[in-house]
DNA sequence: AAACGGCGCAACCGCAAATCT
DNA sequence: TAGATTTGCGGTTGCGCCGTT
């Protein structure tokens, strides 16, 4: 069994003090984002490395934007979530100055509720109750729904697009066509020979995220991409 | 003015992926 | 190549703030 990342005894937990923040900032300014495991001791902090990393990434980093999300950012989050599901770090990677935690919180506290109130299932971006007419779109803010609708206009004939501009959750694993918004993502695709039934899609966020994770799709699913 | 409830944000936890030895 | 260690991610929780009753 692997030991925990740090001894919890003798470690501070909970909210960070100004002094702790300053110590962390000073240390990283001087040495850069080095080994998080050893950083706390070297910086004179009674925190575990994980906690330091989180504090730096989510709060102290100088390039963070903070403040309210703009309408365009919100729109982009919705589109990216439709494409990527709950892959917050990838979504945040497309939003300069935003962190995965921030995006996740914003989704859960604002967007999710908003979509639900408009009768849209936030998990798969489908209408959870059918709203029949185009004349009465489900969103009170028409610009958003029409944005998504516009993005689905160019879909090939395989995609089913309803009055909302329905988008399936790519991560849901459902055997259906996917109508994806035009996101200009850097996508490369390969089919590993060892597992011909699975296609691997490498998602490389353009904005600064170091890691690129692989999404696995059943090959029976059809991806419909926009030009 | 006090109590209560909802909301938003920061931080923690557990797990998996990536990297190192 | 396998096991150990570190890093990163997503889900969840806890707490403070603010509006309502």
């Amino acid at each position: 069994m692997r030991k925990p990342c740090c001894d919890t005894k003798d470690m501070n937990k909970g909210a960070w003090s100004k002094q702790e923040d300053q110590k962390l900032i000073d240390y990283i300014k001087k040495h850069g984002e080095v080994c998080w495991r050893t950083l706390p001791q070297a910086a004179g902090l009674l925190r575990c490395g994980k906690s330091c990393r989180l504090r730096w990434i989510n709060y102290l980093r100088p390039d963070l934007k903070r403040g309210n999300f703009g309408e365009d950012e919100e729109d982009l989050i919705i589109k990216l979530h439709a494409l990527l599901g709950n892959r917050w770090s990838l979504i945040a990677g497309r939003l300069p100055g935003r962190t995965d935690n921030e995006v996740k919180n914003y989704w859960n506290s604002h967007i999710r509720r908003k979509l639900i109130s408009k009768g849209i299932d936030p998990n798969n971006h489908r209408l959870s109750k059918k709203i029949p007419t185009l004349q009465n779109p489900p969103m009170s803010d028409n610009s958003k729904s029409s944005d998504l609708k516009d993005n689905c206009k160019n879909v090939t004939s395989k995609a089913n697009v309803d009055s909302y501009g329905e988008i399936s959750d790519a991560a849901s694993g459902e055997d259906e066509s996917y109508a994806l918004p035009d996101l200009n993502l850097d996508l490369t695709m390969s089919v590993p020979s060892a597992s011909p039934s699975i296609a691997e899609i490498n998602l490389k966020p353009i904005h600064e995220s170091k890691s690129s994770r692989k999404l696995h799709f059943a090959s029976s699913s059809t991806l419909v991409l926009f030009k």
Side-chain angles (χ1 to χ4, degrees), chain A residues 79-148:
Chain A
K79 289 173 183 174
L80 285 164
H81 187 270
L83 176 69
L84 301 168
N86 294 354
R87 289 176 173 80
W88 305 116
S89 61
L90 282 172
I91 295 172
R94 305 290 302 188
L95 293 158
R98 301 296 188 184
T99 69
D100 53 354
N101 209 32
E102 210 177 358
V103 172
K104 179 171 60 182
N105 283 334
Y106 189 70
W107 173 270
N108 286 325
S109 59
H110 290 83
I111 302 177
R112 202 166 180 280
R113 202 165 296 142
K114 200 168 169 179
L115 292 180
I116 289 169
S117 76
K118 293 174 191 310
I120 299 161
D121 184 342
N123 296 317
N124 57 19
H125 296 256
R126 290 173 182 277
L127 287 169
S128 53
K129 55 173 187 273
K130 279 288 172 193
I131 296 173
T133 61
L134 275 169
Q135 296 92 309
N136 296 314
M139 293 182 159
S140 57
D141 180 355
N142 290 348
S143 64
K144 288 197 179 61
S145 63
S146 62
D147 269 4
L148 280 173

Side-chain angles (χ1 to χ4, degrees), chain A residues 151-166:
Chain A
N151 274 310
C152 294
K153 272 182 190 163
N154 302 327
V155 178
T156 63
S157 59
K158 278 208 81 177
N160 278 325
V161 181
D162 64 12
S163 61
Y164 162 63
E166 188 173 276

Side-chain angles (χ1 to χ4, degrees), chain A residues 167-185:
Chain A
I167 296 174
S168 306
D169 182 356
S172 71
E174 289 176 26
D175 184 12
E176 290 178 352
S177 298
Y178 298 112
L180 305 177
D182 179 9
L183 295 167
N184 191 28
L185 281 171

Side-chain angles (χ1 to χ4, degrees), chain A residues 22-106:
Chain A
Q22 201 51 55
K23 278 183 183 177
L24 185 56
I25 292 168
D26 289 345
Y27 187 85
I28 291 177
K29 268 185 185 166
K30 207 168 174 182
H31 301 92
E33 292 177 43
V34 289
C35 176
W36 290 112
R37 172 90 175 168
T38 55
L39 184 148
Q41 203 178 8
L45 286 161
L46 290 172
R47 296 273 180 176
C48 73
K50 211 169 174 177
S51 178
C52 293
R53 180 186 155 271
L54 214 61
R55 183 65 179 170
W56 174 254
I57 301 259
N58 288 332
Y59 200 82
L60 299 174
R61 249 169 47 198
D63 58 330
L64 291 180
K65 195 187 265 183
R66 313 196 68 76
N68 294 339
F69 280 73
E71 219 173 297
D72 50 339
E73 286 180 304
E74 184 176 317
D75 202 33
L76 185 56
I77 291 169
I78 293 170
K79 289 173 183 174
L80 285 164
H81 187 270
L83 176 69
L84 301 168
N86 294 354
R87 289 176 173 80
W88 305 116
S89 61
L90 282 172
I91 295 172
R94 305 290 302 188
L95 293 158
R98 301 296 188 184
T99 69
D100 53 354
N101 209 32
E102 210 177 358
V103 172
K104 179 171 60 182
N105 283 334
Y106 189 70

